[in-house]
Amino acid sequence: MDEALSQSAEIALRAGASAFEVTLMPVTKTSLTAAWGVNPLALSSFEDVSGLSQVIDLSVSEELIWQGFSSDARRQIRLAQDAGYCVERVDWLQSLDHYYALHCETYVRTGVPPHPRSYFAGIAERMAPRGNAALWCVRDKDGTAVAYHNDSWFGEAAYYHTGCSATGSATSGSGYLLFWEAMLGARRSGILWYDCGAVFPGTDNSKQQGLTTFKTKFGGETHRLFRARRQFAKPQAAAEVLRGGPAHTGRARTLAKKVTSWLR
């Protein structure tokens, strides 16, 4: 692990990055068994920048999971069902164009620059065929997909990775229904731990406050989200690689260009 982390950080530096960050999801075996909550990455000479994440135990009955929801979450789900909304798992590749359109709409609405389409194309073309990405959509009574929920699946663990929605759909309760059905789908596929994603108790950021309120309405427990960073003291050294400086070999320059192209 130490060797892999060091090599990854070195590639990032060569590619022109100012820092390298890595995350251990709270539903991995490494995180679940971490003694005393010590970040294993901090033992590899990385700066500990850990946060918190909301995790739900799916090994219990569906009824117990449901009872762990807040009363408002259960009410929102019933409202969506009564209004004719329904959820289904869809093919990632076939849904890619519409997903990306809603992704851009969502990010523009929330004031965040959208990811490049290639980010989601990689999920659709590589992760989904291997069974490591599950895409769910919620449709209104007319059959129109108004939101998507993308989970990463690995062994007995699932992680809420990305999501997007049409403007105005949040008031329908469909987002709660979508989250609930995605969780049930993971459970029925044998997944035991479901990570809802990062939460930010006490934050002053309005977006983070909203995300925290939404995710904690599904119950579960707050776990440490192990994150670590290596800040590069001399970022100009990375730039020198791409300029072809004398301190670096031609092989290193070629590698840096390939990595930079892949990251884009």
Side-chain angles (χ1 to χ4, degrees), residues 7 101 132 163 225:
Q7 181 69 10
N132 295 133
L225 174 61

Side-chain angles (χ1 to χ4, degrees), residues 15-169:
S18 59
F20 172 75
E21 294 188 0
V22 60
T23 300
L24 291 180
M25 307 313 300
V27 288
T28 60
K29 291 181 179 179
T30 299
S31 293
L32 290 170
T33 60
W36 306 107
V38 174
N39 185 349
L41 299 168
L43 304 179
S44 299
S45 302
F46 280 76
E47 177 191 2
D48 188 349
V49 289
S50 297
L52 299 172
S53 195
Q54 197 72 9
V55 176
I56 297 175
D57 181 358
L58 297 184
S59 66
V60 300
S61 68
E62 291 184 13
E63 179 61 26
L64 279 178
I65 298 172
W66 174 257
Q67 290 304 321
F69 288 12
S70 71
S71 58
D72 183 61
R74 294 194 295 267
R75 181 182 67 84
Q76 296 275 1
I77 292 170
R78 293 191 184 102
L79 285 173
Q81 291 172 329
D82 291 343
Y85 287 89
C86 62
V87 175
E88 63 175 322
R89 185 174 177 181
V90 294
D91 183 89
W92 237 119
L93 200 55
Q94 293 180 2
S95 305
L96 178 58
D97 288 337
H98 189 234
Y99 181 98
Y100 190 64
L102 284 191
H103 165 76
C104 291
E105 181 179 331
T106 301
Y107 272 45
V108 169
R109 184 173 68 240
T110 56
V112 182
H115 293 308
R117 186 181 183 279
S118 58
Y119 181 88
F120 301 103
I123 296 173
E125 296 169 2
R126 299 185 181 186
M127 292 180 64
R130 294 198 300 261
N132 295 133
L135 183 64
W136 307 83
C137 86
V138 59
R139 301 184 185 277
D140 62 19
K141 62 180 181 181
D142 298 320
T144 301
V146 297
Y148 290 95
H149 180 112
N150 169 47
D151 284 337
S152 294
W153 285 7
F154 295 96
E156 297 179 341
Y159 163 63
Y160 171 50
H161 188 180
T162 63
C164 56
S165 61
T167 302
S169 62

